[in-house]
Amino acid sequence: MQTTIVLRRVSIPFREPFRISNGVAAATDSVIVEIRRGGLSGFGEAGPLPGGAYSSETAASSWTRLEEKLIPLWLASSFGHPAEVGPALDAVPGEAFARAALEGASWDLAAAETGEPLWRMLGSQVRPVESGVAIGLFDTLDELLARVETYLAQGYRRTKIKIQPGWDIEPVRAIRERFGAIPLMVDANTAYTLADADVFRELDRFDLMMFEQPMAGPALEALAELQHQVKTPLCADESAESMEALETMIGLGSAKIINIKIQRVGGLTNALRMHDRARQAGLGIWLGTMPELGVASAQGLHLATLPGFNYPTDVEASERWYEDDLVDPLITLGGDGCIHIPEGPGMGYRVDRDKLDRYTTRKMEIST
């Protein structure tokens, strides 16, 4: 049976620029992978933030790795189950986003072929997924407070704000004064060092859910030292890049919570393994995003139904981030502050081919 893999590079504008401590993004720049076989298709997505805002990986580097290494390996292999794809692709080091995209398409195709929803294939049970909002950096407190007010009115279950040196204690104080004891956390995106411990000791006063990634990913011993100095749980994001890193964090006590990002860890299979190990170790778990478009976001929602995910996800409504999205229906927030996965095989969300064509800036097909 012929198999065709289609690569598309797509770009959709953000509703407003998204600023974090190490960069700003105004639009997506993603690679959509489609695997066609027997009249069915499976989709995956590589969605690194453009401009190196989050990592050194880009849409261009993901495309190159897919074209030159990963797709030839996939086409030359025979997989009995999509859980076999991730370990095979892991043999090609680097470019975790590219590996996650091809593996995600493999899971989606297998779900289409079996007629099963993705959550069932992942060994989970369907449930509503609590959604939390992530709010970037702004020039003024008034702008920040206005955004918080808007998203609270929309029903998000948790508010996360980005911080950086010089924009940390005052934003948190202002939110607490205006909105009281809402579920609130801060995300530093590695912007601090252990020399800034006083900042986090001060933030400790505000009853936050967690401090997400205060220091650089490899600084696991320093993170452990900071965790010993504060009562607020530390959450590992950039640090949680592999099973090996997770084991080291558990041994050192570097964090009490882990943010699992499917793309950062190279796919659903690796994310599943990390979920199981973190749960065994008694860590809190939640599902992060880049943010991605609806393809990767939908697959993340299915993963987030697993029982260890006990904090709201960063997956938000499509219209929160983008002028448009590729999936139908769009991802929406229910009145209960949760995202409800549509019924049906695979993701439950259909890729709108008209929109896919409209936003494609480059396309290539590779067939057996």
Side-chain angles (χ1 to χ4, degrees):
M1 184 181 301
Q2 185 181 40
T3 300
T4 299
I5 298 182
V6 185
L7 293 183
R8 295 179 178 87
R9 190 161 170 179
V10 301
S11 180
I12 299 178
F14 283 127
R15 287 188 175 274
E16 65 180 13
F18 182 52
R19 287 173 54 195
I20 63 177
S21 62
N22 49 11
V24 59
T28 65
D29 191 6
S30 297
V31 177
I32 302 297
V33 178
E34 178 186 5
I35 305 176
R36 298 174 181 167
R37 183 170 64 203
L40 297 172
S41 290
F43 290 89
E45 176 186 348
L49 278 177
Y54 179 83
S55 74
S56 61
E57 297 176 42
T58 64
S61 66
S62 294
W63 182 291
T64 298
R65 184 58 57 89
L66 283 161
E67 178 184 2
E68 295 181 356
K69 298 287 187 180
L70 298 177
I71 290 176
L73 173 62
W74 193 98
L75 291 172
S77 304
S78 178
F79 301 109
H81 190 278
E84 300 170 7
V85 176
L89 299 183
D90 286 347
V92 181
E95 296 296 336
F97 289 77
R99 287 184 278 125
L102 185 55
E103 194 215 28
S106 303
W107 278 96
D108 191 39
L109 177 64
E113 290 175 334
T114 61
E116 290 189 306
L118 182 57
W119 55 261
R120 183 175 294 151
M121 292 199 71
L122 294 170
S124 187
Q125 295 183 351
V126 71
R127 63 181 173 97
V129 178
E130 290 185 304
S131 180
V133 70
I135 302 176
L137 299 169
F138 292 93
D139 292 329
T140 68
L141 289 176
D142 286 343
E143 290 176 285
L144 172 65
L145 294 173
R147 297 308 193 284
V148 173
E149 184 172 30
T150 294
Y151 298 126
L152 286 176
Q154 292 175 7
Y156 285 99
R157 290 286 191 96
R158 176 267 291 150
T159 299
K160 176 172 82 172
I161 67 166
K162 301 289 185 175
I163 61 172
Q164 65 181 12
W167 179 268
D168 36 46
I169 296 169
E170 288 309 311
V172 171
R173 179 182 289 115
I175 291 172
R176 280 286 184 244
E177 289 175 352
R178 174 76 67 86
F179 302 106
I182 62 171
L184 178 65
M185 59 177 284
V186 296
D187 182 5
N189 288 116
T190 77
Y192 297 82
T193 70
L194 196 55
D196 301 302
D198 284 348
V199 171
F200 294 94
R201 283 193 287 267
E202 179 68 16
L203 288 171
D204 235 2
R205 299 174 47 244
F206 293 99
D207 193 26
L208 300 175
M209 298 173 69
M210 65 189 83
F211 302 147
E212 185 179 358
Q213 200 64 50
M215 292 178 280
L220 299 181
E221 293 184 356
L223 285 166
E225 175 58 32
L226 180 60
Q227 182 64 91
H228 293 152
Q229 295 185 34
V230 296
K231 68 178 187 297
T232 303
L234 264 59
C235 171
D237 178 3
E238 285 88 343
S239 293
E241 62 180 3
S242 66
M243 280 294 296
E244 293 74 18
L246 176 58
E247 290 291 355
T248 301
M249 284 189 291
I250 292 170
L252 292 173
S254 302
K256 296 180 180 179
I257 302 169
I258 180 175
N259 169 2
I260 296 178
K261 286 182 175 166
I262 296 170
Q263 304 223 349
R264 182 188 58 232
V265 303
L268 284 162
T269 302
N270 288 339
L272 271 169
R273 293 175 60 224
M274 293 181 71
H275 162 274
D276 293 347
R277 180 66 182 101
R279 189 183 184 206
Q280 180 189 51
L283 300 182
I285 313 171
W286 56 285
L287 182 100
T289 72
M290 294 312 301
E292 302 111 349
L293 290 167
V295 172
S297 293
Q299 293 174 0
L301 289 171
H302 283 261
L303 183 72
T305 63
L306 287 163
F309 287 95
N310 56 350
Y311 289 93
T313 176
D314 259 358
V315 177
E316 304 164 39
S318 296
E319 67 177 11
R320 151 71 179 104
W321 289 111
Y322 304 112
E323 294 291 346
D324 202 355
D325 205 343
L326 300 176
V327 294
D328 180 30
L330 296 176
I331 296 173
T332 57
L333 187 69
D336 57 357
C338 297
I339 297 172
H340 297 259
I341 299 172
E343 296 181 359
M347 296 183 289
Y349 295 90
R350 181 183 65 86
V351 173
D352 186 319
R353 290 193 176 275
D354 289 338
K355 291 184 178 182
L356 187 58
D357 290 340
R358 185 186 315 157
Y359 296 112
T360 292
T361 59
R362 184 185 179 190
K363 180 179 178 181
M364 182 180 70
E365 296 188 9
I366 304 172
S367 299
T368 54

